[in-house]
Amino acid sequence: MSSPSCRSPTRATRSPAFKPLLDAIDLTGTVITADALHTQHAHGVYLRERGAHYIAQVKANHPGLFDCVRHLPWREITLDHHDRTRAHHRLEIRCLKTVVFAHIDCPDARQTLQVVRWRKDFTTGRFTIERVYLLTSLPPGAATGAQLAAWVRGHWKIENLLHHVRDRTFREDDSKIHVGHLPRIMAGLHNLAIGVHRQDGHTNIAAALRHTARDCRRPLTALGLPG
């Protein structure tokens, strides 16, 4: 398949904790999933040097790379995997396609993935379609379509359990805290609150926060401190 060269972002990393977080972990033979923030040349080089493979999402904040992968002839590519789930008053169908693509200037990038999600909410009647594009250093045949789909879905589960809660419940995107280390400190406190409540068995973090706020002794109890 011929295609114009696609260059990955080469700007300095915006995630200074990426390498320090992973330095103490043996990454040999692992598969690291990452969102579009980490779709960076330096991060890909680091993971491959540590013996890990990556699956990284490509979004419109990397316009050249995004245009290359989304304009591939996906309609002509054979479906590798699909699954269908029905839960929480919602039907979701996910389809995954993979294609070998050797014209991407990303460290050892071997395949491009497209995931299409059809979602029907029976409560509201709303129907949505979402297309997601990813790159991976895994060579063809190293993982089945089902394995790739499970890794991608596992990453989205983390997004829903943590980042989605931070965005919706704590409204981090609307925060006016932008000075120095304060945003990182607040993010750490939000992560702590989410982790403590999930450890206590709460699945609805917003409801758990409301419950805890009604009594000044409850936050101390949740942290295992005398009230």
Side-chain angles (χ1 to χ4, degrees), residues 27 33 51 70 82 112 130 134 140 142 150 158 197 209 223-224:
L27 300 180
T33 61
R70 74 188 182 96
H82 84 280
T112 304
E130 181 182 14
L134 308 101
I158 296 172
H197 287 308
L209 291 172
L223 292 169

Side-chain angles (χ1 to χ4, degrees), residues 5-220:
S5 177
C6 299
R7 296 191 63 83
S8 62
T10 56
R11 64 180 183 277
T13 176
R14 296 180 293 162
S15 304
F18 183 83
K19 293 182 180 179
L21 179 66
L22 297 176
D23 277 341
I25 304 173
D26 182 9
L27 300 180
T28 306
T30 62
V31 177
I32 305 297
T33 61
D35 57 25
L37 174 67
H38 301 294
T39 308
Q40 300 183 27
H41 196 276
H43 290 177
V45 170
Y46 171 80
L47 292 174
R48 296 300 294 129
E49 288 178 346
R50 294 288 312 279
H53 285 288
Y54 62 83
I55 301 176
Q57 190 170 349
V58 181
K59 290 184 177 180
N61 57 330
H62 303 322
L65 192 59
F66 183 68
D67 284 343
C68 278
V69 298
R70 74 188 182 96
H71 286 137
L72 290 171
W74 291 108
R75 291 186 179 181
E76 303 171 16
I77 296 169
T78 304
L79 185 67
D80 283 310
H81 178 76
H82 84 280
D83 60 77
R84 175 190 180 106
T85 58
R86 180 167 180 166
H88 306 293
H89 307 287
R90 185 175 64 193
L91 172 67
E92 186 169 323
I93 301 173
R94 292 169 294 271
C95 297
L96 180 142
K97 295 181 177 182
T98 62
V99 60
V100 179
F101 193 32
H103 302 278
I104 300 178
D105 184 22
C106 287
D108 292 341
R110 301 293 299 276
Q111 297 183 90
T112 304
L113 286 62
Q114 182 200 60
V115 178
V116 182
R117 293 185 289 187
W118 287 268
R119 182 177 296 169
K120 175 67 177 291
D121 190 315
F122 295 113
T123 302
T124 63
R126 184 181 179 188
F127 178 76
T128 59
I129 300 176
E130 181 182 14
R131 289 177 174 83
V132 179
Y133 301 96
L134 308 101
L135 300 176
T136 181
S137 59
L138 288 163
T144 65
Q147 288 174 317
L148 291 170
W151 285 324
V152 173
R153 190 176 180 187
H155 181 82
W156 286 335
K157 184 177 180 180
I158 296 172
E159 289 279 336
N160 291 334
L161 289 176
L162 180 61
H163 300 293
H164 181 76
V165 175
R166 283 169 49 180
D167 290 341
R168 294 299 182 89
T169 303
F170 292 101
R171 302 187 66 83
E172 285 192 350
D173 289 343
D174 298 328
S175 174
K176 304 300 181 183
I177 301 174
H178 302 294
V179 180
H181 297 291
L182 289 177
R184 190 179 303 175
I185 293 171
M186 290 304 300
L189 292 173
H190 292 160
N191 289 344
L192 173 63
I194 294 169
V196 167
H197 287 308
R198 290 206 187 280
Q199 192 174 37
D200 284 344
H202 295 283
T203 56
N204 187 324
I205 301 302
L209 291 172
R210 291 192 296 269
H211 172 78
T212 305
R214 295 190 187 107
D215 188 328
C216 63
R217 294 168 294 185
R218 289 174 181 170
L220 297 176

